[in-house]
Amino acid sequence: MAIESVLSSPLGPPACEKDAKALQFIEDMTANVDLVQERVLKEILTSNAETEYLQKYQLNGATDRDSFKSKIPMVTYEDLQPEIQRIANGDKSPILSSRPISEFLTSSGTSAGERKLMPTIEEEMDRRQLLYSLLMPVMNLYVPGLDKGKGLYFYFIKAEARTPGGLVARPVLTSYYKSKQFKTRPYDPYNVITSPNETILCVDSFQSMYSQMLCGLIMREEVLRVGAVFASGLLRAIRFLQLNWEELANDIATGSLNHKVTSPSIRECMAKILKPNQELAELITNECSGENWEGIITRLWPNTKYLDVIVTGSMAQYIPTLDYYSGGLPKPCTMYASSECYFGLNLRPMSKPSEVSYTIMPNMGYFEFLPHDPSAPAFSRESPPRLLDLAELEVGKEYELVITTYSGLNRYRVGDILLVTGFYNKAPQFRFVRRKNVLLSIEADKTDESELQKAIENASLLLREFSTSVVEYTSYADTKIIPGHYVIYWELLVKDPANSPTGAVLNQCCLAMEESLNSVYRQSRVADNSIGPLEIRVVKNGTFEELMDYAISRGASINQYKVPRCVSFTPIMELLDCRVVSKHFSPSAPHWTPERRS
């Protein structure tokens, strides 16, 4: 067979025969979306036919869509909590899944403010691994030569908890990194990373970060891409380097590992990697000892072609800071996943963050979609709306994602709002809009994450002439005084302290945010006087680092941690408020006029 016939794909010329098979799989799945979805649902319902949950709704072994849709209700996590608690307590009967629940996957901790326990089964790991295996074949279409070097990725595990019944409960990435699929993965020249497994699998976050950073610096010339799971994780690594570069440089100069790294397995593997290199130590010292860290990623890792981090959704606000540290390197977002289910991948990974769309792979689970209309009245359990299938969606419309998984979640509302941007073959492509929840509300107003993010972006435009950007933010609705008002905490990156924004400018930032918020908010401010002037509290640099440390100390996963965009927990409020350096208020009310009503 001629190699040209093997190495071809509608997506582009594959880098190798293995990639060609992966790209063909993507073609097969996306060209036959409805058939694949029909098969997936039949497999799930056949496998779980004898479960208590499906029998409760008298599905009676039916596997067709009509029976499923007419008898099985749409549910939230709260609806399933009694069943999940029984499993957690040790009930091994087939409650949700006919297969044994192998462990619980914990959500990120910022999904409606609580950590959720998602039951999973052993075979799900193979399904996740399959999606991971599709990422590099797509990336290789856009970035050639990735087999000629390595990726510097900051990956971490979290200490595991156990439920009363003895099942492990841990974040999905901890589960993956500790799986045989990850630990014994075959050598792939396109997917070599600088961090040995021992450094990733150390539960002590300092030792893990220190040794992974050390490996990355030692192999700096080989590094072709730098990444973490979320953008915030990569920025945490940069901050770690700012605090620890002297000790790292000393280790490299002397060839001896810092005594703070006590893990025997890390010390053993680092002994094979760490050799005295005075020249490299001096280079690190020269680059890190100065005040200017602009472009530090490409200065230390000069062959880096892109940053592999998630910068969609609430992570979008890290883009200016990533650009500052990387000199504007591309930031591909490769996949869309959650603790409940892995969904799909980005077939155009080098697109701008604002244009990222994910293609859902129909083999990962059975997917339904609730048309999202914020103005529509709430529906009742007795008269639920009709959910649409993947093949029925329309470009330009927003939907809430509802999933049915092999692990036993049936018509489960994930809470993600997705916008259909187009199709690849017959598979819809989605832009992640937001997690469906209200962040801020004083009275009738309801401000969600995407609105707040947009307001922050608009206000931060006023900071540009001062070479200043918003590094991090959170918010809360202060109702201790009447009228209540929005409080926004900002941590700023000021490149030139001699030209930092004045108090008057920051007051105008408050007003710019208010002008960006919805009409209900502005009406409450202007006409009803039920909301007071918006307030920005600027906090000391490093405050959000401390916030993350606090969250991790309370059990959050370093991999999955996301800064909460709204806070109300008293210790967090106290942490933020004791680090405030200045407070600013809107100098006037925002613009608002009554809407015309026909």
Side-chain angles (χ1 to χ4, degrees):
M1 182 189 296
I3 193 161
E4 288 80 6
S5 64
V6 175
L7 302 186
S8 63
S9 164
L11 285 165
C16 59
E17 188 169 350
K18 181 182 172 188
D19 282 12
K21 291 177 180 176
L23 297 179
Q24 186 57 51
F25 179 79
I26 293 171
E27 288 297 314
D28 293 343
M29 290 296 105
T30 57
N32 299 285
V33 165
D34 209 40
L35 284 174
V36 174
Q37 283 282 276
E38 194 171 24
R39 172 179 59 78
V40 166
L41 181 62
K42 184 175 182 179
E43 288 175 356
I44 292 172
L45 296 182
T46 300
S47 173
N48 292 332
E50 301 303 315
T51 59
E52 181 183 309
Y53 188 83
L54 291 183
Q55 288 190 341
K56 176 172 71 172
Y57 292 107
Q58 299 179 341
L59 199 58
N60 299 327
T63 61
D64 62 288
R65 288 190 219 191
D66 289 343
S67 299
F68 176 72
K69 288 173 181 280
S70 66
K71 293 185 176 182
I72 306 300
M74 185 166 49
V75 296
T76 63
Y77 182 78
E78 288 68 31
D79 295 322
L80 295 179
Q81 264 186 315
E83 286 87 356
I84 288 173
Q85 198 58 55
R86 283 173 55 200
I87 298 169
N89 289 342
D91 190 332
K92 291 184 167 56
S93 57
I95 299 171
L96 296 176
S97 171
S98 62
R99 311 245 169 119
I101 300 300
S102 56
E103 61 182 312
F104 282 106
L105 303 177
T106 56
S107 73
S108 65
T110 56
S111 296
E114 65 175 75
R115 298 179 68 76
K116 299 174 182 177
L117 295 175
M118 293 298 163
T120 191
I121 57 178
E122 196 72 46
E123 70 180 56
E124 275 301 303
M125 191 61 72
D126 292 328
R127 205 166 278 110
R128 293 184 205 113
Q129 179 60 37
L130 173 60
L131 190 62
Y132 280 125
S133 74
L134 303 177
L135 303 183
M136 286 310 294
V138 173
M139 185 60 73
N140 290 338
L141 298 173
Y142 294 87
V143 185
L146 292 176
D147 57 331
K148 304 297 190 290
K150 299 179 179 180
L152 167 53
Y153 286 90
F154 296 98
Y155 292 152
F156 305 95
I157 66 164
K158 181 193 175 307
E160 298 167 355
R162 288 202 176 260
T163 68
L167 283 172
V168 172
R170 55 190 177 184
V172 64
L173 292 169
T174 295
S175 174
Y176 177 64
Y177 298 144
K178 296 185 85 168
S179 70
K180 68 179 187 298
Q181 287 88 342
F182 179 80
K183 291 193 290 187
T184 61
R185 61 196 184 278
Y187 173 77
D188 177 358
Y190 291 94
N191 215 0
V192 179
I193 59 176
T194 56
S195 300
N197 284 355
E198 292 85 350
T199 65
I200 296 170
L201 296 173
C202 176
V203 75
D204 184 292
S205 60
F206 175 87
Q207 296 184 58
S208 178
M209 177 77 86
Y210 191 95
S211 51
Q212 290 189 60
M213 183 66 76
L214 190 58
C215 289
L217 290 168
I218 292 168
M219 304 176 207
R220 66 181 289 267
E221 296 285 354
E222 299 174 77
V223 170
L224 299 181
R225 56 196 191 276
V226 176
V229 180
F230 292 113
S232 54
L234 182 53
L235 291 178
R236 182 173 172 83
I238 297 299
R239 176 66 176 158
F240 184 91
L241 181 60
Q242 289 177 322
L243 297 174
N244 296 281
W245 66 263
E246 290 179 89
E247 291 178 88
L248 289 159
N250 182 65
D251 287 8
I252 290 171
T254 60
S256 58
L257 184 59
N258 193 321
H259 67 89
K260 294 178 185 174
V261 179
T262 58
S263 164
S265 60
I266 290 182
R267 296 195 72 87
E268 183 181 345
C269 79
M270 290 304 298
K272 302 168 188 171
I273 297 169
L274 181 59
K275 310 296 178 191
N277 188 334
Q278 189 64 41
E279 184 182 350
L280 176 56
E282 289 174 4
L283 182 145
I284 292 166
T285 301
N286 290 338
E287 294 294 354
C288 297
S289 58
E291 290 293 315
N292 179 20
W293 275 59
E294 188 167 3
I296 194 68
I297 292 175
T298 47
R299 282 154 51 189
L300 288 175
W301 296 283
N303 299 314
T304 306
K305 298 185 178 188
Y306 62 87
L307 306 181
D308 192 349
V309 288
I310 293 172
V311 289
T312 51
S314 64
M315 292 291 130
Q317 57 102 23
Y318 296 106
I319 292 170
T321 312
L322 288 173
D323 285 341
Y324 174 75
Y325 287 128
S326 73
L329 283 174
K331 292 166 285 296
C333 298
T334 55
M335 68 182 290
Y336 172 38
S338 74
S339 301
E340 296 92 337
C341 182
Y342 279 28
F343 304 118
L345 69 166
N346 182 0
L347 297 180
R348 294 177 56 242
M350 301 307 277
S351 55
K352 295 176 184 176
S354 61
E355 297 172 0
V356 167
S357 289
Y358 299 102
T359 303
I360 287 188
M361 294 298 289
N363 60 301
M364 299 304 294
Y366 180 63
F367 303 113
E368 295 176 276
F369 298 85
L370 174 63
H372 180 62
D373 181 2
S375 63
F379 57 85
S380 67
R381 191 74 174 261
E382 291 71 34
S383 57
R386 179 178 177 270
L387 301 190
L388 303 178
D389 288 317
L390 264 176
E392 298 178 292
L393 306 186
E394 297 178 45
V395 172
K397 293 196 174 178
E398 290 186 357
Y399 301 91
E400 181 185 344
L401 179 60
V402 179
I403 63 171
T404 297
T405 69
Y406 287 87
S407 298
L409 296 178
N410 291 280
R411 310 197 91 189
Y412 177 85
R413 298 176 72 172
V414 176
D416 289 358
I417 304 298
L418 307 176
L419 171 69
V420 180
T421 58
F423 286 81
Y424 182 76
N425 291 329
K426 293 183 179 178
Q429 297 181 301
F430 299 93
R431 183 169 302 147
F432 177 83
V433 179
R434 63 186 170 276
R435 176 56 61 107
K436 186 178 183 288
N437 63 332
V438 175
L439 283 187
L440 294 169
S441 179
I442 299 291
E443 194 210 26
D445 57 300
K446 288 179 172 59
T447 299
D448 63 31
E449 186 171 318
S450 64
E451 284 181 311
L452 183 61
Q453 171 71 31
K454 189 66 178 174
I456 297 277
E457 290 172 354
N458 288 343
S460 63
L461 295 175
L462 299 177
L463 304 176
R464 280 188 178 175
E465 63 179 289
F466 302 96
S467 299
T468 296
S469 59
V470 179
V471 175
E472 195 52 277
Y473 74 89
T474 191
S475 64
Y476 89 100
D478 184 353
T479 55
K480 291 191 293 291
I481 55 172
I482 304 297
H485 70 294
Y486 288 10
V487 177
I488 316 297
Y489 294 93
W490 274 10
E491 184 172 322
L492 300 176
L493 175 64
V494 182
K495 296 181 186 176
D496 181 9
N499 184 37
S500 58
T502 63
V505 169
L506 289 164
N507 289 343
Q508 288 298 319
C509 288
C510 295
L511 181 56
M513 283 196 66
E514 290 196 299
E515 294 285 10
S516 303
L517 295 174
N518 60 65
S519 62
V520 176
Y521 171 92
R522 287 181 282 114
Q523 179 181 354
S524 299
R525 272 279 282 128
V526 177
D528 303 338
N529 293 315
S530 58
I531 299 179
L534 183 143
E535 178 185 0
I536 289 175
R537 297 179 187 174
V538 178
V539 296
K540 294 176 184 175
N541 287 101
T543 295
F544 281 86
E545 182 90 1
E546 293 181 55
L547 188 62
M548 181 175 185
D549 289 339
Y550 177 80
I552 290 169
S553 75
R554 288 178 54 84
S557 162
I558 191 171
N559 283 301
Q560 289 179 280
Y561 175 80
K562 305 172 202 169
V563 172
R565 294 302 168 215
C566 183
V567 294
S568 58
F569 189 47
T570 301
I572 292 178
M573 307 292 299
E574 291 173 349
L575 186 155
L576 290 165
D577 280 330
C578 73
R579 286 156 180 77
V580 171
V581 295
S582 62
K583 297 182 179 182
H584 311 273
F585 292 87
S586 285
S588 61
H591 175 75
W592 178 80
T593 53
E595 294 178 10
R596 243 180 237 276
R597 298 191 181 278
S598 52

